[in-house]
Amino acid sequence: MGLVRTLWSRDDVAARILAGDSLVVYNDLLLRIPHSWLATHPGGALAILHFVGRDAADEIEAYHNEHTICTIKKYAIGTVDTSSPWDPLLPPIMSGWVRKKASDGALVWHNEAHPISSPSGLSSEILLVHKDGSLLQDASGPTLATILPPPSNLSLKVQTRHSAAYKALHQRIIDAGLYKTRYVTGYGPEVARYFLLAASSAYAYKHGWLITSAVCLGLLWHQLVFTVHDLGHLGVTHDWTIDRLLAIFIADFIGGLSVGWWVDNHNVHHLVTNHPSHDPDIEHLPFLAISTAFFNSLWSSYYKRTMLFDRFSAVLVSLQHKLFYVVLAFGRFNLYANAYAFLIRKAFDTRKARGGRWSWWLEVIGVAFFWCWFGALLKGCGSWTNALTYLVVSHVVTSPLHLQIVLSHFSMSTEDLGPTESFPHRQLRTTTDVICPPYLSFVHGGLHLQVTHHLFPRLPRHNLREASVLVKQYAKEQGLVYAEFGFIKGNGEVLSVLKAVADQVCLVAAVADREIQEAMVKKTG
């Protein structure tokens, strides 16, 4: 699809988006993403749909290598005026509009959700609730008013400056050679640790030390996930096929999880971090809510369901600061549920993502293999009580991983500042580091440096510490906050957020009870 030398105005772009085109600005190029590519994009369709009508240059370059970017440029259909910053449009999906196939096979607009007033009072914030009734074709589709972003307190000029400085920072990261993987000094000690934990678990199991074996196996799973994380971001060999094969072997065959699901989920989390309606990593009702916005029974554009805030949810959320560590202890079971639901959905896809045919089958085989060997392990425990103990202990031991993830985001802002916000501004606003000495960084897998990781997701994690020095300098120069706190303080911050939301649940319940009592008094009077 060669470049057509046509200059597109903002009005032209808006008209084509309303007509159904997925148009994304990349620097001065206008990219038209075919629907067929949306269905096969390795990072998932949502990773693109959230940037329709916006300049996604920072995100594109952060997530793709040079070879892929050259391929992306083939989708250019023209250019846009770069004499002034691109004034972003609001992606239709952010206001609840999606394109779906009708019964005749034609793509039509559907309104799956509609926006509500911001509970935080931000004029730029858009949250979604499920549209009443079934999902019906809407012949009218979105209007120009739908894709014009609401007023923002952010300065487009300032956000453009942050973006330009981020591009310069990215070039410094590249020039410093920080995309080069440290196979020996980085992964060498980790591989040795993996084999030590695996051997220890096998040795203990053979001698009947089941608790010790379960602990070692859980620690192995906990450590392996960090390498799967790198592979999912193409941060090891930087070759999609090799990294995906390695990831499937580790995640599916050894861990029983789906790396395909993780990549699909995790990319969205990175791009719309901490957005209540769009980031799946903070959508944990009925168990947890980190914002009172969830009291509105929000629509999840990722899960395609309503996060219902009912009486059951209210009870659990009112106790969430007390049940927090209990919920995290069983977090791995939630990963199984999400991963297998994803694989089942993909089984019915007519067009799977890149490598979808062989990778999907390999993942299914891998998960089956996992439950065969792990099931045999449980059967060999001698009794159902021993097997249950082994199952619970091995899975609870992995819970520090879930704690680390929430520490980096749960205490940060969940407000939506609109499409005007730049990529680096959003990541620094919604993400924090956990301060950790170098000799203990392996416990966090090196991913305690989440701010730098969110800004440069393909960066090998063994290089994050060196890169974070440059990022902190960037933040200081741009007047942005680089958030970080210690492990204990971080836990306190998260518990404080959970308790504040829980208190609001109790307050709402108390007000409702008082209103009911007053109504009954008036009725009997």
Side-chain angles (χ1 to χ4, degrees), residues 355-384:
R357 292 180 177 85
W358 63 261
S359 64
W360 182 85
W361 276 109
L362 193 57
E363 287 207 74
V364 171
I365 293 170
V367 168
F369 177 83
F370 166 80
W371 285 109
C372 284
W373 74 258
F374 187 60
L377 207 65
L378 295 177
K379 185 178 181 181
C381 288
S383 68
W384 72 267

Side-chain angles (χ1 to χ4, degrees), residues 359-423:
S359 64
W360 182 85
W361 276 109
L362 193 57
E363 287 207 74
V364 171
I365 293 170
V367 168
F369 177 83
F370 166 80
W371 285 109
C372 284
W373 74 258
F374 187 60
L377 207 65
L378 295 177
K379 185 178 181 181
C381 288
S383 68
W384 72 267
T385 54
N386 286 344
L388 181 61
T389 301
Y390 196 98
L391 173 71
V392 172
V393 170
S394 61
H395 284 62
V396 169
V397 167
T398 67
S399 60
L401 169 68
H402 313 298
L403 177 59
Q404 177 210 323
I405 294 172
V406 302
L407 284 183
S408 298
H409 299 291
F410 272 25
S411 62
M412 302 301 287
S413 173
T414 59
E415 294 176 338
D416 171 29
L417 302 187
T420 299
E421 186 175 28
S422 66
F423 173 66

Side-chain angles (χ1 to χ4, degrees), residues 167-329:
K167 290 178 173 63
L169 171 65
H170 197 174
Q171 190 58 51
R172 291 180 65 190
I173 295 285
I174 295 171
D175 294 342
L178 296 180
Y179 275 102
K180 295 179 181 178
T181 303
R182 292 160 50 190
Y183 291 107
V184 177
T185 59
Y187 284 105
E190 293 202 354
V191 172
R193 192 181 304 123
Y194 299 158
F195 278 106
L196 176 62
L197 288 171
S200 298
S201 180
Y203 182 83
Y205 186 86
K206 182 178 180 181
H207 288 78
W209 308 332
L210 296 182
I211 299 297
T212 302
S213 175
V215 169
C216 290
L217 180 58
L219 290 175
L220 174 63
W221 285 337
H222 170 263
Q223 289 290 304
L224 283 174
V225 165
F226 298 126
T227 297
V228 174
H229 175 274
D230 288 1
L231 292 164
H233 279 299
L234 306 186
V236 180
T237 70
H238 311 292
D239 179 278
W240 188 91
T241 302
I242 297 175
D243 279 2
R244 182 53 59 93
L245 282 171
L246 291 171
I248 291 175
F249 173 72
I250 298 173
D252 297 74
F253 283 77
I254 299 178
L257 299 173
S258 163
V259 69
W261 158 75
W262 180 84
V263 169
D264 187 81
N265 175 288
H266 196 66
N267 281 337
V268 175
H269 157 68
H270 265 267
L271 294 168
V272 287
T273 311
N274 269 22
H275 194 302
S277 287
H278 304 294
D279 180 1
D281 275 12
I282 66 167
E283 297 175 343
H284 299 301
L285 281 179
F287 300 104
L288 299 172
I290 63 172
S291 168
T292 55
F294 288 103
F295 295 178
N296 294 285
S297 293
L298 298 180
W299 171 258
S300 169
S301 64
Y302 181 82
Y303 291 113
K304 301 301 180 187
R305 62 175 174 81
T306 299
M307 296 175 284
L308 189 63
F309 188 78
D310 54 13
R311 290 185 178 181
F312 179 65
S313 300
V315 171
L316 290 180
V317 171
S318 69
L319 300 171
Q320 63 181 357
H321 54 297
K322 299 177 181 179
L323 300 175
F324 177 58
Y325 295 107
V326 176
V327 172
L328 292 187

